[in-house]
Amino acid sequence: MSFTLNKLAKKIDHVGDVTLRNFNGVHRTLSNLWYREQGNTNLPIGKTMIRLWDHYKNNKQELVKLSQAILAHLAEDQPITFDYPELDNPLEGRLLVGTHLYRERNKQIVKQKKQQYLDEFGCLRCETCDFDFANIYGSRGKGFIECHHVIPLSELNVATETKLNDLSLLCANCHRMIHRKQPWLSLESLSNLLHDSR
């Protein structure tokens, strides 16, 4: 099953890390779902997985049909498309309270970086693709751009002084592409991707 899921992930261009659908992960998820059916609701299971399980456990013929279609597509090397079932009670919008650890960020250094760039170039534009929010969105985009830490804060073990040269200004698209999967791209690598795609 793990092999099939990984093959499917590649087929639909789903990007993940080395733990994506590995044997241990698949076994643990199925075990947790089974134990949930026995009444243990304290096991870590994603909400989407629970909704899919609850939908298909009472629709086994539909599940068999879908599984056979996926296996046939994989065997025939055909493109895969899905008709996703409507999930029961797909609730959103509830107010939730959570506790998270996150890396401290200094807004002042971001302001200084933006001002330094403005003083030098007269505008704020992406250092990779040259996108200028103010040029495209007018007054709504004026002064807006995202700030990227060249050395990821997640790699720091202790609080470290950030210098202006440790930051880069990026549009939301380029910033997201850098962080889409690990290892994160350097600005140079992202620029090369952009250059190769044009």
Side-chain angles (χ1 to χ4, degrees), residues 101 124 187 192:
L101 291 176
L124 294 178
L187 293 180
N192 290 338

Side-chain angles (χ1 to χ4, degrees), residues 143-155:
F144 180 81
I145 197 153
E146 295 189 3
C147 197
H148 168 69
H149 288 75
V150 177
I151 300 173
L153 292 180
S154 60
E155 294 181 5

Side-chain angles (χ1 to χ4, degrees), residues 44-190:
I45 311 171
K47 292 178 182 177
T48 300
M49 186 66 71
I50 290 173
R51 287 197 297 264
L52 287 170
W53 177 273
D54 289 344
H55 175 82
Y56 282 113
K57 73 179 180 183
N58 297 319
N59 295 281
K60 292 181 181 177
Q61 288 183 334
E62 182 184 347
L63 178 60
V64 169
K65 185 178 177 182
L66 179 61
S67 300
Q68 289 173 341
I70 290 171
L71 291 172
H73 279 295
L74 288 174
E76 297 172 13
D77 200 27
Q78 297 176 357
I80 294 178
T81 57
F82 294 102
D83 291 324
Y84 290 99
E86 287 293 327
L87 300 177
D88 295 332
N89 303 318
L91 299 176
E92 292 184 304
R94 294 179 299 161
L95 291 176
L96 303 176
V97 176
T99 302
H100 303 278
L101 291 176
Y102 63 94
R103 295 283 179 174
E104 180 183 24
R105 296 176 185 271
N106 189 321
K107 294 181 180 179
Q108 293 304 314
I109 191 74
V110 173
K111 289 181 181 179
Q112 288 178 20
K113 179 66 178 181
K114 289 182 179 182
Q115 191 59 54
Q116 179 195 50
Y117 198 93
L118 272 171
D119 292 344
E120 186 172 352
F121 299 103
C123 65
L124 294 178
R125 62 174 179 257
C126 178
E127 293 182 40
T128 301
C129 71
D130 290 330
F131 187 89
D132 182 337
F133 285 90
N135 189 40
I136 301 299
Y137 297 108
S139 60
R140 189 174 186 88
K142 185 177 181 181
F144 180 81
I145 197 153
E146 295 189 3
C147 197
H148 168 69
H149 288 75
V150 177
I151 300 173
L153 292 180
S154 60
E155 294 181 5
L156 302 178
N157 293 322
V158 295
T160 304
E161 181 182 353
T162 301
K163 298 180 174 60
L164 293 178
N165 289 339
D166 296 330
L167 303 172
S168 294
L169 300 182
L170 298 175
C171 71
N173 284 346
C174 287
H175 202 185
R176 187 71 180 113
M177 286 299 99
I178 282 177
H179 290 286
R180 185 169 183 231
K181 62 177 182 175
Q182 292 187 342
W184 290 337
L185 293 177
S186 66
L187 293 180
E188 181 181 1
S189 297
L190 186 64

Side-chain angles (χ1 to χ4, degrees), residues 33-47:
L33 287 166
W34 185 85
Y35 281 115
R36 178 177 173 268
E37 290 296 303
Q38 312 311 307
N40 187 344
T41 58
N42 295 323
L43 296 167
I45 311 171
K47 292 178 182 177

